[in-house]
Amino acid sequence: MQQISRQEHGGPVVSILIPTFNRAGYLQAALASACAQTYPNLEIIVLDDASSDNTPAVVRAFQQQDDRIVYVRNHRNRGLVANWRQGVEMARGDFFCFLGDDDTLEPAFVETLLQPLRQDARLVLAFCDHWVMDGEGRRLPDDSERNTRRWRRARLPEGSVDDFLRVALIDRSVFIGAVLFRRASVHPTFLADEARAMVDLWLLYRCAQQGGAYYVPQRLASCRWQPGGVSRSWNWRLYGFEGELFCYRHFLQDPALAPYRPVFEARMAYALTTYGNTLLSIGQRVAARERLRQALRLRWTLRSSVGYVLTWLGPPGSWISRGVRWLRSRFWRKPVPNYPEELFRYTVPDLSVKSMPPASSEEVAPLTLSS
């Protein structure tokens, strides 16, 4: 097979970036979907963050059939953000996307999203809807429909997005695995280490400062839902909360987001409460008390109040917190309210408002995790 080049096909190179770590089984489906794109002028970069499974063998097998695949293996694990940033730094394409190592793309994904980006240089990205699939790769139509409604894509018309900041940061409509970015508009520093597990949200925030977005309602990607995956682990939860708070501290101080300040205050209080109760459950009561105290200063809730009291009870407080978590997992089937629902608690912001006083430094002070 001859290397596919920009000159042969008369179109821009598109880079598909696949960060991966110990997902050799799922990686095969992700790679197959990348290779099957109807748009041929691709480079497919697999970013192996020091996997200990047979990921190298999987990639080599695909490389024997498709020489558009570039394999990059880190000798030590660099972590999610650094691995993503490395991909953006390496991308030769005029456009790029991130493909999760357990997700897949529909064959027309690149071709469809590339069209509006080529037609309008003001667009920094184009995104689409996506399917939800189970651990075995089976599509879940009902869950996919609920997911589309949950993140407000069901009411989002096709075309240029009127309020990119609201759609990306308030409605959270943009799934990072269903986005095609314009490389010239995205600097690798947009993937900030401090954003941690919320690096996708921070990236979208920085992109919204560069230009506009275009929405395609077709489901051109599939996201795998896996109960008990890495996102359920204690460390990953803490990693996520720290990144979420980093984002909200900046959002609260951005004059362009001032109309949405009540929403971000509510979300920050919710994140601080959940973060604090998680720390309490694993025995880090001093750190938990500080997070819950900050949550109460932003907004009083029963969860934060009870958690704060439990931090003063010593080990029994942590035992009670773990017990409550166990009971909720066994008997409380109602899902935790998702963030878009917070928006319904407030009237639609007046976007003519240009500025508001930033949140106090005490409310948004940087947080450090106690050892």
Side-chain angles (χ1 to χ4, degrees):
M1 178 185 295
Q2 296 298 316
Q3 179 70 34
I4 294 174
S5 68
R6 181 197 306 258
Q7 290 75 18
E8 286 179 47
H9 295 276
V13 173
V14 175
S15 302
I16 299 179
L17 310 178
I18 310 179
T20 188
F21 177 67
N22 285 344
R23 288 273 184 81
Y26 293 131
L27 181 61
Q28 297 182 57
L31 270 170
S33 74
C35 294
Q37 291 298 297
T38 56
Y39 184 83
N41 202 8
L42 306 174
E43 67 167 2
I44 302 166
I45 304 178
V46 179
L47 301 142
D48 182 0
D49 204 15
S51 295
S52 57
D53 61 5
N54 64 331
T55 291
V58 169
V59 178
R60 282 196 298 269
F62 274 87
Q63 284 180 311
Q64 291 173 3
Q65 303 174 42
D66 193 329
D67 62 3
R68 296 174 298 176
I69 299 172
V70 178
Y71 180 50
V72 180
R73 178 174 172 81
N74 297 330
H75 296 295
R76 61 179 179 83
N77 188 276
R78 301 180 62 186
L80 179 145
V81 179
N83 206 29
W84 283 30
R85 188 166 54 237
Q86 180 183 18
V88 176
E89 291 169 344
M90 292 188 61
R92 294 186 306 108
D94 297 287
F95 304 91
F96 74 91
C97 66
F98 289 107
L99 172 57
D101 57 5
D102 58 345
D103 297 336
T104 61
L105 302 176
E106 294 299 300
F109 173 86
V110 170
E111 183 176 8
T112 303
L113 295 187
L114 184 59
Q115 183 175 353
L117 291 171
R118 296 184 70 180
Q119 292 175 346
D120 188 348
R122 297 170 299 178
L123 298 174
V124 65
L125 64 84
F127 69 103
C128 62
D129 201 0
H130 65 276
W131 294 99
V132 171
M133 58 183 177
D134 64 15
E136 303 301 319
R138 294 182 291 261
R139 283 181 179 171
L140 306 174
D142 292 341
D143 287 327
S144 297
E145 187 61 32
R146 280 192 291 269
N147 192 60
T148 297
R149 293 195 304 269
R150 176 181 185 179
W151 301 113
R152 295 195 154 191
R153 289 186 293 272
R155 291 185 290 176
L156 191 61
E158 180 171 2
S160 296
V161 176
D162 290 333
D163 187 349
F164 185 12
L165 280 170
R166 176 185 175 125
V167 167
L169 308 184
I170 301 294
D171 295 346
R172 302 279 277 272
S173 301
V174 186
F175 169 53
I176 201 69
V179 180
L180 189 62
F181 295 91
R182 186 184 304 278
R183 176 64 181 85
S185 300
V186 180
H187 194 276
T189 57
F190 290 3
L191 295 124
D193 291 312
E194 298 87 347
R196 303 200 174 193
M198 300 301 290
V199 65
D200 54 345
L201 183 64
W202 184 255
L203 172 60
L204 293 171
Y205 168 60
R206 296 303 307 272
C207 284
Q209 297 171 330
Q210 308 302 311
Y214 191 99
Y215 176 60
V216 174
Q218 297 159 260
R219 291 188 178 126
L220 299 173
S222 295
C223 174
R224 195 182 304 265
W225 282 4
Q226 300 186 79
V230 65
S231 60
R232 303 297 182 91
S233 68
W234 291 115
N235 288 339
W236 186 259
R237 285 170 63 85
L238 298 179
Y239 189 68
F241 291 134
E242 290 161 7
E244 198 166 358
L245 295 175
F246 166 80
C247 291
Y248 293 152
R249 286 197 296 272
H250 286 273
F251 297 168
L252 284 168
Q253 294 178 327
D254 185 344
L257 294 172
Y260 301 117
R261 182 178 173 183
V263 180
F264 289 123
E265 284 183 340
R267 294 183 185 181
M268 189 166 188
Y270 183 90
L272 282 164
T273 298
T274 309
Y275 188 10
N277 284 329
T278 300
L279 289 169
L280 174 62
S281 294
I282 62 177
Q284 296 191 29
R285 288 176 293 279
V286 175
R289 188 177 307 139
E290 176 61 17
R291 280 29 170 209
L292 290 164
R293 181 185 66 81
Q294 292 182 358
L296 287 167
R297 289 193 172 186
L298 276 173
R299 187 173 301 259
W300 184 92
T301 66
L302 182 60
R303 286 181 66 233
S304 53
S305 299
V306 171
Y308 184 74
V309 170
L310 290 177
T311 65
W312 294 97
L313 300 183
S318 295
W319 302 339
I320 294 171
S321 179
R322 286 196 294 270
V324 170
R325 283 179 175 274
W326 181 84
L327 287 172
R328 288 185 65 183
S329 68
R330 290 289 298 244
F331 303 110
W332 185 249
R333 299 302 181 187
K334 183 179 178 181
V336 175
N338 58 75
Y339 283 138
E341 290 175 351
E342 287 284 355
L343 194 59
F344 294 114
R345 302 183 184 183
Y346 308 97
T347 58
V348 176
D350 180 4
L351 297 182
S352 64
V353 177
K354 298 300 182 183
S355 64
M356 290 178 64
S360 70
S361 59
E362 183 174 22
E363 288 176 347
V364 296
L367 304 177
T368 56
L369 183 61
S370 302
S371 59

